[in-house]
Each structure stands twice: as structure tokens, then as C-alpha cells.
Amino acid sequence: MGTYEAQFAGMGARCLLTFFMVAWMTLCVSFTGCTERRSGHQVPLDDAVESDSLSAEGEDAGEDASIPSAADELFDDFFFNFAANKGLQRKRIQYPLPIYKGDVVTSRVNKGAWTIERFFMPEGYYTLIFDKPEQVDIVKDTLVNHVVVEKIFLEKGGIEQFYFDRIRGEWMLTSIRQMSIDESPNGSFLAFYRRFCDDEDYQLQSVNDLVTFSAPDPDDDFNTITGMMVPEQWPAFKPSLIPRGIIYNINYGQTCTEVNEKVLLIRGVANGLEAELVFHKKNGVWKLIKFMS
């Protein structure tokens, strides 16, 4: 082969190699883009609420909203999405949804008549009520298949219970039940707590003679004080947030009875806030005996 022919062959080989490299890079970029589009990343709650609020009630941009299958394993993961996304909420309701008062169905709600329920999302925190501290870990149990979310109207004395069941691997809202606080196993505590959160004098009277506590140091934001305190010290160390008006409880299947101890847990949705207040009833009187914030 002559010099010219050899140079031409070399150029042809280099062109062919360049063509294959460009084709391969284009193919890789294409597949990478598909992988990113198909990934099941959960939309941040703030983004979901913001984009959802731009949709008209009758024609939701998020009507086909979905969540990763893993989010159905833990109720909390599902529920925060359910409360934040209109499209997902409408999809995860069994219609016509029965509304109970006691054991009687008073009405049924069709899909077109459903009003989106934001639960505690606007406040950015929620409450949980347990009979004892050991029950707190049940929120992480992936075997739970039935959960009741309670919206508690302290001033009106009523409770709206939202019943959720995991059906074929997906959480669904299956019914709503309305009841009075007096009918609740937490009735005595809720009647006490209504006054506790609204009346500062009564709140101080309801602090035990000695209270075990752990709280931020009022003189140093980076330190925590742990020990015992007397009622007079309560105003200085009490949690910055004591929910009132409408509070929530989520029953994951834990025993809930009219016992002499209640744990009120206050948790932020996305801000890391957490406070725990433990109350004990002695001789018919509720007292705060421990808190951590």
C-alpha cells in the first residue's frame, strides 16, 4: 500500500472510531435520562404543597400522582404524602366513603364531593398520645396494616377519626367516624389537657411537686439542662409549643385505654422539633411528672 493509501486508511479508521464513540456517548446519555425519569424519588413535601396549590379543584395537575412502593411500607411515609398531594389523596380513598356516627352510616362521599384534608400540614407539627413510653416505637413497625388518625377538636369536644387500611400493599382511607371526646379512651386526659393548654394558672397547678426534665438551657442555646424541677421553675423551662385548639393523635394499633398515665408527643413535620410530656393521674387529678424538649 502506498503512502497516500495508508494515510487515507488511517483517516477512515479514525473517523469510524469517532463515529462509534459519539454514538455510544449519545446512547449512554439517553439511557441515563430514562433512568432519572423513572426513578422513584419522593417529591419534597414543600414542593408538593406549593405545586398542588396551583391546580384547580376540578382538574388537578397531580391527578396521576404516585409514590414509591417503599413509601407504603411505613404509614408515616405514606400519610405525609397523602396530606400534601391532592392527586394522591383522591386516588387513595375508597369511594363512596362511608361517614359513621357511632355505628350508623350517616352519609357517603363520592369522589367529586371530597374536600381535600390537609390534616396538620399547615401547622408543621403533630401530636401523638400513648399510654406508656414503650409504645412510641410502634410508629416504625412496617407490619402495621390498620391505622386511625384522630383529629381532636378540644373546644368543640369532638373527634373525627380517619380509618386507613393497607389493601394489596397500598394504604387507603376506608371510612370516617365522628364521636365525642367523652366516648374516647383518652376522654379524661383530653378534658384535662384542654384546660391545661389554655389556662396558665391551671397549668402551673398541674405540675407535680417534683418533675423530671430535660430542656434547652435558657442561658446557653447549645447546652441542655437535665434534672429535677419544682413547679415555680416551669415557666422558665416549659416547651416553647404546647398545642391547643385542634390536636391530632395517630393510633397505630397500640393499646389505648382509660389508664392513669399518658404520654403526649409533639413532633415537627420537617423541622426536627420534638417534645415529650408525661402525665400521671393520682386520686383523680392529672399532673405533669416528666418532660423532655
Side-chain angles (χ1 to χ4, degrees):
M1 181 183 296
T3 302
Y4 179 80
E5 289 83 353
Q7 289 178 348
F8 182 81
M11 290 176 61
R14 285 195 296 272
C15 289
L16 187 61
L17 178 61
T18 300
F19 171 79
F20 279 118
M21 288 179 67
V22 171
W24 175 250
M25 289 174 65
T26 303
L27 192 60
C28 287
V29 170
S30 176
F31 276 123
T32 301
C34 291
T35 301
E36 290 174 352
R37 286 193 294 271
R38 293 175 184 171
S39 63
H41 293 303
Q42 184 173 329
V43 177
L45 292 177
D46 291 343
D47 293 346
V49 172
E50 183 177 355
S51 62
D52 198 38
S53 65
L54 299 177
S55 303
E57 285 293 330
E59 38 188 28
D60 291 323
E63 196 67 48
D64 295 327
S66 60
I67 56 175
S69 58
D72 273 304
E73 293 180 6
L74 201 63
F75 178 76
D76 282 7
D77 290 344
F78 154 76
F79 186 70
F80 294 149
N81 281 276
F82 181 85
N85 190 299
K86 281 196 295 188
L88 177 67
Q89 188 168 134
R90 285 199 175 98
K91 286 176 62 177
R92 292 299 188 91
I93 296 175
Q94 280 195 337
Y95 301 103
L97 184 71
I99 310 295
Y100 288 84
K101 192 164 186 178
D103 295 326
V104 179
V105 176
T106 58
S107 62
R108 295 182 185 273
V109 181
N110 293 316
K111 183 176 182 179
W114 174 253
T115 301
I116 298 300
E117 174 62 67
R118 293 300 189 191
F119 298 95
F120 44 71
M121 297 301 293
E123 288 77 19
Y125 67 87
Y126 62 103
T127 50
L128 299 169
I129 302 172
F130 298 98
D131 284 357
K132 50 189 176 182
E134 293 79 10
Q135 292 180 335
V136 174
D137 290 339
I138 197 172
V139 303
K140 303 173 184 177
D141 190 349
T142 57
L143 298 180
V144 172
N145 289 313
H146 176 75
V147 174
V148 180
V149 177
E150 295 185 323
K151 187 175 184 179
I152 303 167
F153 301 85
L154 293 173
E155 297 300 323
K156 296 180 180 179
I159 299 176
E160 198 168 22
Q161 296 180 318
F162 297 80
Y163 285 72
F164 291 87
D165 294 279
R166 186 153 49 183
I167 301 172
R168 292 184 292 277
E170 293 187 341
W171 284 102
M172 302 287 293
L173 174 62
T174 56
S175 65
I176 295 176
R177 179 171 272 102
Q178 299 168 341
M179 61 189 295
S180 69
I181 282 179
D182 294 338
E183 299 175 82
S184 169
N186 290 319
S188 170
F189 172 73
L190 291 172
F192 154 78
Y193 181 76
R194 173 186 173 181
R195 188 176 174 188
F196 178 87
C197 64
D198 281 335
D199 187 333
E200 291 189 1
D201 291 335
Y202 181 72
Q203 189 178 114
L204 193 59
Q205 296 169 19
S206 302
V207 176
N208 199 44
D209 293 340
L210 282 177
V211 176
T212 304
F213 80 101
S214 176
D217 187 338
D219 299 321
D220 187 346
D221 294 337
F222 298 99
N223 284 330
T224 299
I225 296 178
T226 301
M228 304 290 291
M229 72 167 212
V230 294
E232 290 75 18
Q233 295 174 296
W234 169 249
F237 293 109
K238 70 179 182 179
S240 58
L241 175 65
I242 298 181
R244 54 172 51 86
I246 297 176
I247 65 172
Y248 289 85
N249 182 40
I250 303 179
N251 190 302
Y252 301 85
Q254 71 269 22
T255 302
C256 184
T257 57
E258 191 64 88
V259 295
N260 292 327
E261 185 170 280
K262 293 293 178 182
V263 179
L264 178 68
L265 207 60
I266 305 166
R267 283 184 170 170
V269 172
N271 56 14
L273 169 73
E274 181 157 324
E276 180 180 310
L277 289 80
V278 182
F279 298 87
H280 184 76
K281 184 168 69 172
K282 185 176 181 180
N283 299 325
V285 178
W286 285 99
K287 293 279 188 178
L288 175 70
I289 63 169
K290 178 181 179 180
F291 77 91
M292 294 181 291
S293 63

mmCIF file of all heavy atoms in Angstrom, residues 141-161:
data_model
loop_
_atom_site.group_PDB
_atom_site.id
_atom_site.type_symbol
_atom_site.label_atom_id
_atom_site.label_comp_id
_atom_site.label_asym_id
_atom_site.label_seq_id
_atom_site.Cartn_x
_atom_site.Cartn_y
_atom_site.Cartn_z
ATOM 1 N N ASP A 141 -43.080 0.353 62.957
ATOM 2 C CA ASP A 141 -43.431 -1.032 62.646
ATOM 3 C C ASP A 141 -44.026 -1.132 61.244
ATOM 4 O O ASP A 141 -45.113 -0.609 60.974
ATOM 5 C CB ASP A 141 -44.418 -1.546 63.692
ATOM 6 C CG ASP A 141 -44.657 -3.043 63.588
ATOM 7 O OD1 ASP A 141 -44.228 -3.649 62.584
ATOM 8 O OD2 ASP A 141 -45.278 -3.614 64.507
ATOM 9 N N THR A 142 -43.330 -1.820 60.338
ATOM 10 C CA THR A 142 -43.802 -1.963 58.960
ATOM 11 C C THR A 142 -44.877 -3.041 58.816
ATOM 12 O O THR A 142 -45.439 -3.209 57.732
ATOM 13 C CB THR A 142 -42.627 -2.303 58.022
ATOM 14 O OG1 THR A 142 -41.989 -3.497 58.478
ATOM 15 C CG2 THR A 142 -41.611 -1.167 57.996
ATOM 16 N N LEU A 143 -45.175 -3.769 59.896
ATOM 17 C CA LEU A 143 -46.204 -4.815 59.839
ATOM 18 C C LEU A 143 -47.594 -4.276 60.155
ATOM 19 O O LEU A 143 -48.585 -4.982 60.023
ATOM 20 C CB LEU A 143 -45.854 -5.948 60.816
ATOM 21 C CG LEU A 143 -44.540 -6.696 60.531
ATOM 22 C CD1 LEU A 143 -44.319 -7.786 61.576
ATOM 23 C CD2 LEU A 143 -44.538 -7.286 59.124
ATOM 24 N N VAL A 144 -47.674 -3.010 60.569
ATOM 25 C CA VAL A 144 -48.968 -2.396 60.877
ATOM 26 C C VAL A 144 -49.787 -2.262 59.593
ATOM 27 O O VAL A 144 -49.297 -1.751 58.582
ATOM 28 C CB VAL A 144 -48.768 -1.006 61.525
ATOM 29 C CG1 VAL A 144 -50.092 -0.275 61.661
ATOM 30 C CG2 VAL A 144 -48.100 -1.151 62.891
ATOM 31 N N ASN A 145 -51.031 -2.734 59.622
ATOM 32 C CA ASN A 145 -51.904 -2.689 58.442
ATOM 33 C C ASN A 145 -53.188 -1.898 58.664
ATOM 34 O O ASN A 145 -53.998 -1.767 57.743
ATOM 35 C CB ASN A 145 -52.263 -4.107 57.999
ATOM 36 C CG ASN A 145 -51.084 -4.839 57.394
ATOM 37 O OD1 ASN A 145 -50.373 -4.300 56.545
ATOM 38 N ND2 ASN A 145 -50.843 -6.066 57.840
ATOM 39 N N HIS A 146 -53.386 -1.384 59.876
ATOM 40 C CA HIS A 146 -54.601 -0.615 60.185
ATOM 41 C C HIS A 146 -54.217 0.535 61.105
ATOM 42 O O HIS A 146 -53.607 0.312 62.159
ATOM 43 C CB HIS A 146 -55.648 -1.518 60.858
ATOM 44 C CG HIS A 146 -56.881 -0.779 61.295
ATOM 45 N ND1 HIS A 146 -57.842 -0.348 60.403
ATOM 46 C CD2 HIS A 146 -57.298 -0.383 62.524
ATOM 47 C CE1 HIS A 146 -58.811 0.259 61.077
ATOM 48 N NE2 HIS A 146 -58.498 0.267 62.360
ATOM 49 N N VAL A 147 -54.552 1.751 60.712
ATOM 50 C CA VAL A 147 -54.189 2.939 61.483
ATOM 51 C C VAL A 147 -55.389 3.885 61.542
ATOM 52 O O VAL A 147 -56.132 4.021 60.565
ATOM 53 C CB VAL A 147 -52.984 3.675 60.855
ATOM 54 C CG1 VAL A 147 -52.706 4.994 61.575
ATOM 55 C CG2 VAL A 147 -51.730 2.798 60.905
ATOM 56 N N VAL A 148 -55.567 4.521 62.691
ATOM 57 C CA VAL A 148 -56.637 5.512 62.858
ATOM 58 C C VAL A 148 -56.004 6.864 63.180
ATOM 59 O O VAL A 148 -55.284 6.990 64.168
ATOM 60 C CB VAL A 148 -57.614 5.122 63.983
ATOM 61 C CG1 VAL A 148 -58.713 6.178 64.109
ATOM 62 C CG2 VAL A 148 -58.217 3.747 63.727
ATOM 63 N N VAL A 149 -56.263 7.848 62.318
ATOM 64 C CA VAL A 149 -55.793 9.212 62.560
ATOM 65 C C VAL A 149 -56.950 10.003 63.165
ATOM 66 O O VAL A 149 -58.021 10.090 62.562
ATOM 67 C CB VAL A 149 -55.316 9.879 61.255
ATOM 68 C CG1 VAL A 149 -54.904 11.333 61.512
ATOM 69 C CG2 VAL A 149 -54.156 9.100 60.649
ATOM 70 N N GLU A 150 -56.721 10.564 64.338
ATOM 71 C CA GLU A 150 -57.771 11.301 65.042
ATOM 72 C C GLU A 150 -57.515 12.804 64.973
ATOM 73 O O GLU A 150 -56.445 13.280 65.336
ATOM 74 C CB GLU A 150 -57.834 10.875 66.505
ATOM 75 C CG GLU A 150 -58.251 9.434 66.709
ATOM 76 C CD GLU A 150 -58.428 9.091 68.178
ATOM 77 O OE1 GLU A 150 -57.631 9.600 69.013
ATOM 78 O OE2 GLU A 150 -59.351 8.318 68.495
ATOM 79 N N LYS A 151 -58.501 13.515 64.501
ATOM 80 C CA LYS A 151 -58.486 14.976 64.528
ATOM 81 C C LYS A 151 -59.355 15.396 65.708
ATOM 82 O O LYS A 151 -60.579 15.184 65.699
ATOM 83 C CB LYS A 151 -59.040 15.529 63.213
ATOM 84 C CG LYS A 151 -58.917 17.035 63.051
ATOM 85 C CD LYS A 151 -59.376 17.454 61.653
ATOM 86 C CE LYS A 151 -59.170 18.950 61.432
ATOM 87 N NZ LYS A 151 -59.592 19.356 60.054
ATOM 88 N N ILE A 152 -58.729 15.970 66.727
ATOM 89 C CA ILE A 152 -59.394 16.219 68.008
ATOM 90 C C ILE A 152 -59.700 17.706 68.157
ATOM 91 O O ILE A 152 -58.793 18.543 68.175
ATOM 92 C CB ILE A 152 -58.515 15.733 69.173
ATOM 93 C CG1 ILE A 152 -58.189 14.240 68.997
ATOM 94 C CG2 ILE A 152 -59.198 15.985 70.509
ATOM 95 C CD1 ILE A 152 -57.094 13.739 69.919
ATOM 96 N N PHE A 153 -60.980 18.030 68.259
ATOM 97 C CA PHE A 153 -61.423 19.413 68.420
ATOM 98 C C PHE A 153 -61.644 19.659 69.916
ATOM 99 O O PHE A 153 -62.721 19.366 70.461
ATOM 100 C CB PHE A 153 -62.718 19.654 67.638
ATOM 101 C CG PHE A 153 -62.599 19.392 66.157
ATOM 102 C CD1 PHE A 153 -62.758 18.107 65.649
ATOM 103 C CD2 PHE A 153 -62.326 20.428 65.274
ATOM 104 C CE1 PHE A 153 -62.650 17.862 64.292
ATOM 105 C CE2 PHE A 153 -62.221 20.191 63.913
ATOM 106 C CZ PHE A 153 -62.377 18.907 63.419
ATOM 107 N N LEU A 154 -60.629 20.206 70.569
ATOM 108 C CA LEU A 154 -60.690 20.372 72.023
ATOM 109 C C LEU A 154 -61.824 21.301 72.444
ATOM 110 O O LEU A 154 -62.534 21.025 73.416
ATOM 111 C CB LEU A 154 -59.353 20.893 72.553
ATOM 112 C CG LEU A 154 -58.163 19.930 72.444
ATOM 113 C CD1 LEU A 154 -56.874 20.640 72.857
ATOM 114 C CD2 LEU A 154 -58.385 18.691 73.309
ATOM 115 N N GLU A 155 -61.999 22.415 71.737
ATOM 116 C CA GLU A 155 -63.015 23.384 72.123
ATOM 117 C C GLU A 155 -64.426 22.849 71.892
ATOM 118 O O GLU A 155 -65.327 23.046 72.701
ATOM 119 C CB GLU A 155 -62.817 24.694 71.343
ATOM 120 C CG GLU A 155 -61.502 25.393 71.621
ATOM 121 C CD GLU A 155 -61.350 25.780 73.088
ATOM 122 O OE1 GLU A 155 -62.364 26.163 73.714
ATOM 123 O OE2 GLU A 155 -60.226 25.684 73.618
ATOM 124 N N LYS A 156 -64.625 22.153 70.791
ATOM 125 C CA LYS A 156 -65.954 21.637 70.449
ATOM 126 C C LYS A 156 -66.260 20.320 71.147
ATOM 127 O O LYS A 156 -67.406 19.870 71.170
ATOM 128 C CB LYS A 156 -66.080 21.452 68.934
ATOM 129 C CG LYS A 156 -65.983 22.748 68.152
ATOM 130 C CD LYS A 156 -66.111 22.480 66.658
ATOM 131 C CE LYS A 156 -66.025 23.776 65.845
ATOM 132 N NZ LYS A 156 -66.136 23.521 64.388
ATOM 133 N N GLY A 157 -65.212 19.674 71.661
ATOM 134 C CA GLY A 157 -65.430 18.402 72.360
ATOM 135 C C GLY A 157 -65.721 17.238 71.436
ATOM 136 O O GLY A 157 -66.383 16.271 71.831
ATOM 137 N N GLY A 158 -65.220 17.308 70.207
ATOM 138 C CA GLY A 158 -65.488 16.238 69.245
ATOM 139 C C GLY A 158 -64.213 15.666 68.644
ATOM 140 O O GLY A 158 -63.141 16.279 68.702
ATOM 141 N N ILE A 159 -64.339 14.470 68.060
ATOM 142 C CA ILE A 159 -63.219 13.799 67.412
ATOM 143 C C ILE A 159 -63.676 13.282 66.058
ATOM 144 O O ILE A 159 -64.757 12.706 65.928
ATOM 145 C CB ILE A 159 -62.689 12.620 68.252
ATOM 146 C CG1 ILE A 159 -62.190 13.110 69.613
ATOM 147 C CG2 ILE A 159 -61.573 11.879 67.515
ATOM 148 C CD1 ILE A 159 -61.734 11.985 70.542
ATOM 149 N N GLU A 160 -62.838 13.480 65.045
ATOM 150 C CA GLU A 160 -63.081 12.921 63.717
ATOM 151 C C GLU A 160 -61.990 11.886 63.478
ATOM 152 O O GLU A 160 -60.802 12.213 63.470
ATOM 153 C CB GLU A 160 -63.039 14.024 62.665
ATOM 154 C CG GLU A 160 -63.695 13.648 61.362
ATOM 155 C CD GLU A 160 -63.901 14.858 60.451
ATOM 156 O OE1 GLU A 160 -63.198 15.865 60.637
ATOM 157 O OE2 GLU A 160 -64.761 14.769 59.565
ATOM 158 N N GLN A 161 -62.393 10.634 63.298
ATOM 159 C CA GLN A 161 -61.433 9.549 63.117
ATOM 160 C C GLN A 161 -61.379 9.132 61.650
ATOM 161 O O GLN A 161 -62.402 8.855 61.034
ATOM 162 C CB GLN A 161 -61.827 8.339 63.970
ATOM 163 C CG GLN A 161 -61.787 8.581 65.472
ATOM 164 C CD GLN A 161 -62.191 7.343 66.250
ATOM 165 O OE1 GLN A 161 -63.144 6.643 65.886
ATOM 166 N NE2 GLN A 161 -61.466 7.051 67.317
#
